[in-house]
Amino acid sequence: MFQAAAKTFSVAPTASVCRGILSSIRQYCKKTPTKLRVSEALSSAELGANVKVQGWVRSVRPQKANLFLHVNDGSSLQSLQIVAGSELCDPLLTFGSAIEVTGILKKSPNQKQPVELEADQIHVVGGCNPVDFPFKIKERHGLEYIRQFPHLRCRTNAFSSLLRVRSEATTAIHSYFKENGFVQIHTPIITSNDCEGAGELFQVEPSGPEHEEGENFFSVPAFLTVSGQLHLEVMSGAFSRVYTFGPTFRAENSQSRRHLAEFYMVEAEVSFTQSLEDLTKVMEDMFRSATEHVLAHCAEDVALFHKHVTPGHRDTIDAMVKRRFPVITYSEAIDILNRSSQKFTFPTDWGCDLQTEHEKYLVKHCGNIPVFVTDYPYDLKPFYARDNQDHPKHTAAAVDLLVPGVGELCGGSLREERLDLLRARLEEVGLEETYSWYLDLRRFGSVPHGGFGLGFERFLQCILGIDNIKDVTPFPRFSHSCLL
C-alpha cells in the first residue's frame, strides 16, 4: 500500500497543473492583502502590493468618474489618499466615518504625496453624521474650541499630533535614564506622606456599606501622592541612581492655564553627591536629550505647532538645545529683578518666593534660554532640603530650572543627610514622629544624595510653545471640571 502511494506521488505534474497551482496562489494572495498602517503605506515599502488600510476619513471628494478620500489611522500626521471608481461611493462614506480599504498601492502622480491606494473595495465600519460631528471638514479649529470635546478631540490633527509627541517624549525620557544607569522604581500612588508640605491633598477613603465613617482603611489617613520623592529616597539607600515617572495629584482649587489636579512627574534621585552641579547636569542632559529625540522622531508633528500655534518658537527651541544653561543664585536673581525697570505684581524682596512673572523675566534676561537658580532661602524649602548653614542670609542647597514660556520646569535639592540637623528641622515643624522612618534612613548607611522633579506636561508646553497646560494632557483634571 505504501509503495503504491509512493508511486502515485512520484508522477511529475503536467504544465497545465502547474499553471493551475500558480493561478490558485495568485488568487489566494490577492484575497489576503497585506495589512498596513498609514505611516507604513506612505513609506512606499509595499509599492505594487495588494494591501489593506483601516482608518478614519479626513476628506471626501466625489467626482463623476472617481472618488478621492484621505484616510488617517493616527500613525502619522499625513493621510493616505484613496482613489476609487465612483461605483464604490457609499452614502455612509462621510467625513469622520471609519472605513476599511483594500487595493493596490501605487506611486502617486501628484508630487505632494508619494503614494496612493487604488481601491477595489471600501467597507464602512462605522458611520459618522458630519452635521452633528463638532469638527468640520474645511475648518481649522483652535485648541480652546477642541478642548470642549475631551472625548473627541483626539480626532483632530492638532491633538493627535500632541499625543504622538507625548508618547515619543515618554520614550525619550525612559531611554535617557536607562542609558545613564538609573533604575526605574514604581512609587506608590496612595501614601500617607505630604512630601511638598503644602497640604493640597486628595484624601482616599473606601466607599460602601461595610465602611464605617471615621475608620481609616490603612490605619492612618491616606492620600493620593503629590510626589514620589520620599519613596525614591528609600530606594537611594540601596541604588545609587533611581527614577520614577508617574501620575501625581494636587488639590488646588484653580482653573488657571497653569494648574491640573492630575499630572505626570519625572523624578530622580542620585546618591553619593554633595554638589548641585551633579543634579543640574542630569536635568540639563535629560532636557536636551529628550528634546532632541522628539524633534528628530516627531518632526512633522512638532512643526504643526510651531507653524500654526506658536510661529517662530522653533528658533527658541534650537537655542535651548545648542547653548549651555546659565546658573545664577537666588540672591543674584533678586538683584536682577530689583534693577529691572519692569513693574511686578508681586514683591521682589530677598526671602520672597519667585512667582511666574519673576521666573519668565529672569529667563528673558538670561537670553531666553533655560536658566538654573540655586541656593534659595532656607525657610522657603521643605524640611528635607540641605542646610547651607550660611549667614546672614540663610539658604538651602536647592535649585530650580526655569524655561521660556513656562517658568519653573524642574525643582530639586540636595537632601539633608545629617541626622542631627534633620531631626531638629522635623521637631521644629512638629513632624518628628510622623517621619521617624525617614530619620532611620539617616541612621543606617546614609550617604549624601539629592534629586529633582520635572513636570512632564510643562516640558511638553515648553518644546511645543503651548500656553495652556490643559492642551498637553489627554484628559485634563482640574477643579470643577466634568470627568469622563
Side-chain angles (χ1 to χ4, degrees):
M1 181 179 66
F2 292 111
Q3 290 178 346
K7 289 180 180 179
T8 301
F9 285 98
S10 66
V11 176
T14 64
S16 61
V17 171
C18 289
R19 286 194 295 271
I21 292 172
L22 290 173
S23 177
S24 297
I25 292 173
R26 291 192 190 99
Q27 290 296 320
Y28 178 78
C29 292
K30 187 176 181 181
K31 291 178 181 178
T32 55
T34 303
K35 185 177 177 181
L36 296 180
R37 291 180 297 154
V38 166
S39 59
E40 294 170 332
L42 291 172
S43 70
S44 306
E46 298 285 340
L47 275 178
N50 186 34
V51 303
K52 177 194 291 184
V53 171
Q54 298 162 322
W56 292 267
V57 176
R58 290 293 177 89
S59 72
V60 183
R61 186 159 51 93
Q63 294 183 348
K64 186 175 182 179
N66 293 309
L67 172 67
F68 295 91
L69 305 172
H70 280 94
V71 174
N72 194 288
D73 63 354
S75 63
S76 167
L77 176 61
Q78 298 300 318
S79 298
L80 175 66
Q81 177 165 284
I82 311 296
V83 182
S86 58
E87 71 277 3
L88 294 181
C89 191
D90 187 319
L92 295 177
L93 204 57
T94 61
F95 173 63
S97 61
I99 65 172
E100 183 176 273
V101 186
T102 58
I104 305 300
L105 194 63
K106 296 186 175 182
K107 186 176 180 179
S108 175
N110 190 335
Q111 294 182 350
K112 293 183 178 180
Q113 56 196 25
V115 298
E116 61 187 23
L117 181 59
E118 189 176 287
D120 52 45
Q121 288 184 2
I122 299 178
H123 171 58
V124 178
V125 179
C128 176
N129 186 335
V131 177
D132 297 333
F133 195 45
F135 308 124
K136 304 308 176 186
I137 191 168
K138 293 184 179 181
E139 294 183 22
R140 180 175 293 157
H141 304 91
L143 296 178
E144 186 174 354
Y145 174 78
I146 69 174
R147 199 185 306 139
Q148 302 174 71
F149 309 97
H151 57 304
L152 296 173
R153 64 176 179 167
C154 58
R155 307 189 189 193
T156 64
N157 278 344
F159 207 70
S160 61
S161 285
L162 178 279
L163 293 176
R164 282 189 293 271
V165 169
R166 185 180 174 108
S167 176
E168 203 62 51
T170 301
T171 299
I173 288 171
H174 283 299
S175 296
Y176 170 82
F177 283 120
K178 182 177 180 179
E179 291 166 5
N180 287 275
F182 284 78
V183 175
Q184 183 182 8
I185 304 295
H186 294 135
T187 54
I189 290 176
I190 300 176
T191 178
S192 61
N193 299 318
D194 179 8
C195 180
E196 300 295 321
E200 297 161 337
L201 303 168
F202 288 104
Q203 188 160 357
V204 178
E205 296 179 353
S207 61
E210 296 181 359
H211 173 63
E212 294 184 14
E213 187 175 351
E215 179 184 356
N216 291 313
F217 183 84
F218 295 101
S219 77
V220 295
F223 311 95
L224 295 180
T225 183
V226 297
S227 170
Q229 179 211 313
L230 297 184
H231 293 95
L232 283 185
E233 284 200 61
V234 171
M235 296 298 170
S236 70
F239 302 91
S240 60
R241 291 186 165 199
V242 291
Y243 83 101
T244 189
F245 188 171
T248 53
F249 306 85
R250 302 284 168 84
E252 292 180 277
N253 188 17
S254 173
Q255 300 180 54
S256 78
R257 63 187 59 187
R258 288 179 54 82
H259 293 100
L260 289 172
E262 177 185 344
F263 55 96
Y264 273 67
M265 285 278 285
V266 180
E267 298 178 272
E269 204 74 20
V270 180
S271 298
F272 298 99
T273 180
Q274 291 180 292
S275 170
L276 281 177
E277 290 182 9
D278 291 341
L279 298 184
T280 58
K281 184 179 187 305
V282 176
M283 291 186 206
E284 183 170 352
D285 288 351
M286 181 186 66
F287 178 93
R288 184 172 284 106
S289 174
T291 302
E292 290 175 342
H293 180 99
V294 169
L295 294 178
H297 291 81
C298 296
E300 286 185 322
D301 294 311
V302 172
L304 175 72
F305 286 94
H306 291 172
K307 180 179 180 180
H308 298 295
V309 180
T310 50
H313 190 66
R314 180 57 188 259
D315 293 337
T316 302
I317 298 300
D318 289 341
M320 288 188 203
V321 298
K322 290 177 182 177
R323 297 172 58 185
R324 304 302 302 181
F325 300 170
V327 181
I328 61 175
T329 66
Y330 170 88
S331 296
E332 291 171 334
I334 291 297
D335 288 341
I336 291 170
L337 295 172
N338 287 333
R339 291 197 306 267
S340 169
S341 59
Q342 181 173 326
K343 291 184 178 180
F344 298 105
T345 303
F346 294 92
T348 57
D349 302 323
W350 198 97
C352 71
D353 205 356
L354 295 181
Q355 303 296 321
T356 302
E357 60 174 345
H358 305 146
E359 295 167 346
K360 289 184 176 181
Y361 180 85
L362 291 170
V363 169
K364 289 182 179 179
H365 177 85
C366 293
N368 207 36
I369 61 172
V371 55
F372 289 109
V373 179
T374 68
D375 301 304
Y376 279 78
Y378 183 73
D379 291 337
L380 288 181
K381 293 302 174 181
F383 66 85
Y384 49 74
R386 197 176 200 274
D387 189 347
N388 282 332
Q389 294 186 300
D390 48 355
H391 298 286
K393 293 180 178 179
H394 191 188
T395 65
V399 57
D400 286 348
L401 176 61
L402 314 181
V403 297
V406 173
E408 181 189 344
L409 175 65
C410 296
S413 73
L414 297 180
R415 314 311 189 191
E416 185 57 82
E417 86 285 1
R418 295 163 292 186
L419 180 59
D420 56 339
L421 293 180
L422 180 59
R423 180 189 286 114
R425 187 73 187 275
L426 285 171
E427 287 177 351
E428 182 183 336
V429 294
L431 294 173
E432 184 180 11
E433 182 176 350
T434 303
Y435 288 96
S436 59
W437 64 268
Y438 192 70
L439 292 173
D440 280 349
L441 301 179
R442 273 60 177 174
R443 290 190 182 100
F444 308 117
S446 178
V447 299
H449 61 286
F452 67 91
L454 172 146
F456 184 56
E457 280 77 14
R458 290 188 178 185
F459 171 72
L460 296 174
Q461 283 186 276
C462 175
I463 62 176
L464 296 177
I466 296 176
D467 186 51
N468 196 315
I469 198 169
K470 298 175 183 63
D471 294 327
V472 293
T473 187
F475 302 101
R477 304 318 197 195
F478 52 97
S479 62
H480 301 99
S481 62
C482 295
L483 302 183
L484 296 184

